[in-house]
């Protein structure tokens, strides 16, 4: 009985972590390029089997994916700005206001914005959502299950992910005081 | 005796067949197969179960290999999708962090 209740809670938690991105379907006809990825737990397991243990990038990906229950990505590119508005994202943002979801970061810079949310329940962290918009591009990411954001950012430099100069790989490192250097400090 | 009995006796009495009758009957019979075809037929009957088993095994093996190829294709495709998803997520987290640093003046 206790196991049944625990499984029911787990199922409910996983269901809450997975966002319904179908409201973004109406952007598809307007996009000049789009990509949709929907990998549930079973497909993640299958994909993980085909990741090579010999390649560093694949190995990192394997470790990241080990605990994940799903990863869903939508990317849209448009010919001209103004093809999507905040109203198109309202349905997704509404889900991110439900219990369990908390906003980690919200940044706006000119016409670009980025939001990062995480999901936690009963002091268990599990679930990530990213909404990144530029005038001619929209990216929405939803990860179900525990994910190490620091390790995710550390994928830079492998798997074909370019590394942005000036950024360290992990959050913990960024809070450490900078080491004294002889050369010029040109971080900005 | 009645006329009927006379006619019946006449109808049933033995008579010799007309000339050439035997040849005509034999000509109508299906031709018997030459000896070599009879041999092949007996060979087929003896080996048919084994041949059927081999064919079924070959079909099952082909089907299994086809499924393996299909699963390999699905797995490779899932792997490519996963790598793409991780690339996008990592890149967006990096750019988000860069924007945050830029907004906050370059330090956290």
């Amino acid at each position: 009985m206790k196991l049944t209740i625990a499984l029911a809670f787990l199922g409910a938690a996983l269901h809450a972590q997975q966002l319904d991105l179908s409201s973004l379907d109406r952007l598809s006809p307007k996009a000049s390029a789009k990509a949709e990825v929907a990998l549930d737990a079973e497909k993640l397991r299958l994909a993980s089997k085909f990741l090579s243990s010999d390649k560093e990038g694949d190995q990192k990906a394997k470790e990241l994916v080990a605990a994940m229950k799903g990863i869903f990505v939508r990317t849209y590119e448009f010919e001209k700005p103004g093809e999507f508005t905040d109203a198109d994202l309202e349905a997704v943002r509404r889900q991110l206001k439900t219990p369990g979801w908390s906003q980690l970061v919200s940044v706006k810079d000119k016409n670009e914005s980025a939001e990062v949310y995480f999901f936690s329940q009963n002091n268990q962290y599990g679930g990530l959502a990213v909404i990144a918009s530029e005038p001619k591009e929209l990216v929405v990411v939803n990860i179900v299950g525990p994910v190490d954001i620091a390790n995710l950012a550390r994928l830079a430099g492998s798997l074909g992910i370019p590394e942005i100069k000036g950024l360290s790989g992990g959050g913990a490192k960024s809070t450490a005081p900078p080491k004294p250097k002889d050369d010029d400090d040109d971080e900005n | 005796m009645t006329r009927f009995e006379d006619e019946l006796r006449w109808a049933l009495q033995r008579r010799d067949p007309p000339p050439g009758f035997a040849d005509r009957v034999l000509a109508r019979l299906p031709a018997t197969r030459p000896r070599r075809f009879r041999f092949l037929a007996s060979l087929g009957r003896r080996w048919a179960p084994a041949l059927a088993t081999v064919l079924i095994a070959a079909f099952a093996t082909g089907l299994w290999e086809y499924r393996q190829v299909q699963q390999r294709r699905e797995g490779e495709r899932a792997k490519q999708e996963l790598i793409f998803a991780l690339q996008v997520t990592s890149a967006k987290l990096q750019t988000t962090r860069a924007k945050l640093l830029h907004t906050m003046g370059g330090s956290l």
Side-chain angles (χ1 to χ4, degrees):
Chain A
M1 181 63 180
K2 284 183 184 175
L3 179 63
T4 308
I5 293 170
L7 285 172
F9 272 115
L10 178 64
L14 289 175
H15 179 73
Q17 291 175 41
Q18 185 174 337
L19 303 175
D20 179 7
L21 302 179
S22 59
S23 61
L24 300 175
D25 291 344
R26 58 172 174 253
L27 296 177
S28 291
K30 295 191 268 185
S32 58
K34 65 172 183 178
E36 296 180 11
V37 171
L39 296 170
D40 57 16
E42 192 182 329
K43 285 184 185 169
L44 277 177
R45 268 196 301 274
L46 180 63
S48 190
K49 279 185 201 172
F50 286 81
L51 288 168
S52 168
S53 301
D54 299 330
K55 296 179 186 172
E56 187 192 349
D58 280 18
Q59 185 56 32
K60 284 182 185 175
K62 225 173 184 175
E63 288 165 8
L64 267 172
V65 163
M68 276 189 205
K69 300 289 181 276
I71 183 165
F72 306 89
V73 175
R74 299 274 190 115
T75 72
Y76 301 95
E77 289 180 18
F78 305 93
E79 287 287 327
K80 52 186 191 295
E83 293 289 346
F84 68 94
T85 63
D86 280 345
D88 294 311
L89 296 168
E90 185 53 37
V92 176
R93 288 199 176 107
R94 203 180 311 128
Q95 296 173 70
L96 293 168
K97 289 176 184 168
T98 56
W101 285 103
S102 305
Q103 191 176 68
L104 183 64
V105 166
S106 177
V107 185
K108 277 200 172 177
D109 185 16
K110 295 176 188 173
N111 293 328
E112 301 176 3
S113 71
E115 301 155 66
V116 179
Y117 300 81
F118 72 93
F119 184 89
S120 69
Q121 202 166 51
N122 300 326
N123 294 324
Q124 293 286 332
Y125 166 71
L128 179 77
V130 178
I131 301 176
S133 67
E134 294 175 11
K136 294 195 278 186
E137 185 187 84
L138 173 65
V139 174
V140 178
V141 175
N142 175 211
I143 295 178
V144 180
V147 60
D148 189 331
I149 298 181
N151 277 341
L152 196 54
R154 280 194 199 107
L155 281 178
S158 56
L159 284 184
I161 301 169
E163 193 165 1
I164 297 179
K165 289 184 181 177
L167 288 180
S168 57
K173 286 183 187 175
S174 68
T175 58
K179 292 178 185 177
K181 285 182 182 176
D182 292 332
D183 50 347
D184 292 338
D185 196 359
D186 58 347
E187 293 278 306
N188 293 326
Chain B
M1 286 194 206
T2 62
R3 183 185 171 80
F4 173 72
E5 286 173 349
D6 289 339
E7 286 177 356
L8 192 61
R9 189 174 292 111
W10 181 87
L12 292 177
Q13 76 184 93
R14 193 178 183 279
R15 291 191 191 84
D16 289 326
F21 176 78
D23 293 331
R24 288 198 297 277
V25 168
L26 286 173
R28 285 184 180 182
L29 286 176
T32 54
R33 286 175 290 182
R35 185 170 286 184
R36 65 175 181 277
F37 290 124
R38 286 203 297 268
F39 171 72
L40 286 174
S42 72
L43 197 67
R45 279 195 295 274
R46 194 177 306 158
W47 291 102
L51 189 62
T53 304
V54 167
L55 284 174
I56 290 170
F59 176 74
T61 303
L63 188 63
W64 180 81
E65 280 188 11
Y66 172 75
R67 282 187 181 157
Q68 289 292 105
V69 167
Q70 283 294 101
Q71 194 180 38
R72 203 173 303 131
R73 271 191 201 148
E74 283 173 18
E76 285 294 334
R77 184 178 164 179
K79 173 190 161 185
Q80 293 307 318
E81 287 185 350
L82 172 63
I83 289 175
F84 172 75
L86 291 175
Q87 284 171 339
V88 168
T89 309
S90 178
K92 286 303 163 191
L93 285 174
Q94 279 199 87
T95 53
T96 301
R97 191 156 179 270
K99 283 175 186 155
L100 193 60
L101 285 174
H102 175 72
T103 305
M104 298 182 77
S107 62
L108 278 175

